[in-house]
């Protein structure tokens, strides 16, 4: 429980402060830390009784000579959770060092507790990372869902509660990366800071938050009853804003669909990653992307690139040759996604309805097909989405 490295650090620092040699042993009486490093690894016989009785002991010069590895001074038990885990000794005449004994003992026990707590937090964090990684890669042919339910329960999580997966990507802004002389930010170094930011917003004890790779954070957010998706979107935007303001980094979030099983959480997390990947291509100005808004893009992304290219070429080649193709593409997309309603399309595009009519007439003249033929228009719509997806070279981690 008391590591040699921590014991040596405490003994060395404390010896320098009080001016007397401080010695720390383990539960077997072996010296694992000392201001006098030549004593490390030796046996301190006086510690045996101190550990057994959990009572302090003092030894003058004559008494010390009769015990192996002992010098005059005071030896006190180090107690953790009611159990003696070692001793701390101070070398000197008992009258000189007795006044330091209780202070050194308490300070060492405090540092020991902090070390144990930190180790426990790190172990729990690693276990949570592993759990999230196993859910993300879940294959029912390889591992049973009940096994992951059990492991989650050991960490205090009930995977049967309704959750939705969120994936965060954090990166250095391109302008900062190009700035000459500017220090580069290592995502691995700011990992704890980013995790703390996410956990401050997703603070429910059932929220599973873990780093999945440098610059990537995964969340399985518990959805309390009657919680709306809009609330989750607001939380994600708050996180991306905080990261941008505090750390000067770019942050984006992808949101999956609600789930109540291991298999469902696996799909939700994959959806969240797809939302990040696809949203970064078709809605670059938005920091938060919902897979529910990108389902058609997700299906198209599974189609081979040659097939998508052929769809674009046969359906929208003439339109793509126009200098205002991005505007025409947005008009077709808004027309279809607004239910072929002129008023809603103009509102979505933030332009006058007459401008929409003008653009639609232009599209019809170029293609030779009326946009009110829904089957034809839907093919054109899919071609527009395929064009937005590009060549599919964008990659994601996490």
């Amino acid at each position: 429980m008391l590591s040699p490295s921590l014991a040596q650090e405490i003994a060395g620092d404390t010896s320098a402060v009080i001016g007397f040699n401080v010695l720390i042993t383990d539960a077997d009486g072996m010296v694992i830390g000392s201001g006098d490093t030549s004593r490390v690894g030796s046996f301190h016989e006086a510690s045996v009784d101190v550990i057994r009785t959990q009572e302090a002991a003092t030894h003058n010069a004559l008494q010390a000579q009769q015990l192996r590895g002992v010098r005059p001074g005071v030896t006190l038990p180090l107690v953790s959770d009611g159990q003696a885990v070692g001793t701390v000794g101070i070398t000197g005449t008992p009258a000189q060092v007795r006044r330091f004994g209780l202070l050194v003992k308490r300070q060492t026990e405090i540092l020991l507790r902090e070390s144990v707590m930190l180790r426990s937090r790190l172990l729990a964090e690693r276990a949570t990372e592993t759990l999230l990684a196993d859910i993300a890669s879940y294959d029912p042919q390889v591992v049973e869902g009940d096994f992951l339910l059990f492991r989650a329960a050991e960490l205090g999580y009930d995977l049967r509660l309704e959750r939705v997966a969120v994936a965060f990507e954090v990166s250095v802004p391109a302008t900062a990366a190009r700035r000459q002389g500017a220090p580069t930010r290592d995502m691995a170094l700011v990992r704890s800071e980013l995790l703390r930011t996410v956990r401050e917003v997703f603070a429910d004890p059932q929220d599973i938050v873990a780093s999945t790779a440098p610059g990537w954070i995964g969340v399985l957010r518990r959805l309390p009853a009657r919680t709306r998706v809009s609330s989750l979107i607001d939380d994600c935007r708050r996180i991306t804003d905080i990261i941008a303001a505090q750390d000067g980094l770019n942050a984006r979030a992808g949101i999956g669909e609600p789930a109540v099983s291991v298999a469902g959480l696996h799909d939700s997390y994959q959806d969240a990653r797809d939302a990040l990947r696809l949203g970064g291509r078709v809605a670059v100005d938005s920091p938060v992307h919902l897979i529910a808004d990108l389902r058609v893009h997700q299906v198209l992304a599974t189609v081979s690139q040659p097939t998508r290219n052929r769809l674009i070429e046969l359906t929208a080649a003439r339109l793509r040759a126009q200098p205002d193709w991005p505007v025409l593409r947005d008009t077709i997309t808004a027309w279809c996604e607004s239910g072929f309603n002129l008023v809603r399309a103009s509102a979505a595009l933030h332009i006058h309805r007459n401008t929409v009519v003008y653009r639609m007439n232009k599209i019809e003249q170029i293609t030779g097909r009326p946009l009110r033929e829904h089957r034809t228009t839907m093919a054109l719509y899919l071609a527009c989405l395929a064009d937005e997806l590009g060549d599919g070279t964008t990659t994601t981690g996490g």
Side-chain angles (χ1 to χ4, degrees), residues 300 306-322 325 328-329 332-333 336 362-371 373-387:
L300 279 173
T307 301
R308 294 208 305 267
N309 290 342
R310 183 167 174 77
L311 172 65
I312 296 169
E313 180 65 27
L314 295 177
T315 309
R318 293 180 181 178
L319 290 173
R320 291 184 82 223
Q322 301 300 311
W325 160 238
L328 300 178
R329 183 184 62 193
I332 296 169
T333 302
C336 294
K362 180 176 180 179
I363 292 168
E364 290 178 342
Q365 290 175 0
I366 294 173
T367 61
R369 296 176 178 176
L371 286 178
E373 279 187 8
H374 293 169
R375 180 177 296 181
T376 298
T377 305
M378 287 305 298
L380 189 57
Y381 169 67
L382 294 176
C384 290
L385 298 188
D387 184 75

Side-chain angles (χ1 to χ4, degrees), residues 175-194:
T175 53
R178 289 195 299 264
R179 194 181 304 137
Q180 291 186 351
T184 57
R185 301 296 300 275
D186 187 335
M187 290 297 102
L189 297 179
V190 297
R191 170 180 171 276
S192 296
E193 188 176 331
L194 296 174

Side-chain angles (χ1 to χ4, degrees), residues 45 61-68:
E45 188 176 356
L62 181 60
Q63 292 169 325
Q65 287 178 357
Q66 299 173 4
L67 297 170
R68 184 152 57 105

Side-chain angles (χ1 to χ4, degrees), residues 138-140 142-152 159 261-263:
Y138 172 68
D139 182 346
V142 177
V143 62
E144 292 186 4
D146 287 346
F147 176 68
L148 293 182
L149 284 173
F150 173 76
R151 277 180 44 202
L159 295 185
S261 67
V262 172

Side-chain angles (χ1 to χ4, degrees), residues 204-221:
D204 189 301
Q206 284 294 323
D207 290 342
I208 301 174
V209 181
S211 175
T212 57
W216 290 86
I217 296 174
V219 180
L220 298 180
R221 167 67 158 160

Side-chain angles (χ1 to χ4, degrees), residues 212-251:
T212 57
W216 290 86
I217 296 174
V219 180
L220 298 180
R221 167 67 158 160
R222 182 193 174 191
L223 283 182
R226 295 183 295 278
T227 300
R228 297 187 176 182
V229 175
S230 59
S231 174
L232 179 57
I233 296 172
D234 291 341
D235 288 340
C236 290
R237 283 180 176 154
R238 183 146 55 102
I239 289 171
T240 58
D241 289 344
I242 292 172
I243 291 174
Q246 291 184 347
D247 305 302
L249 301 170
N250 284 338

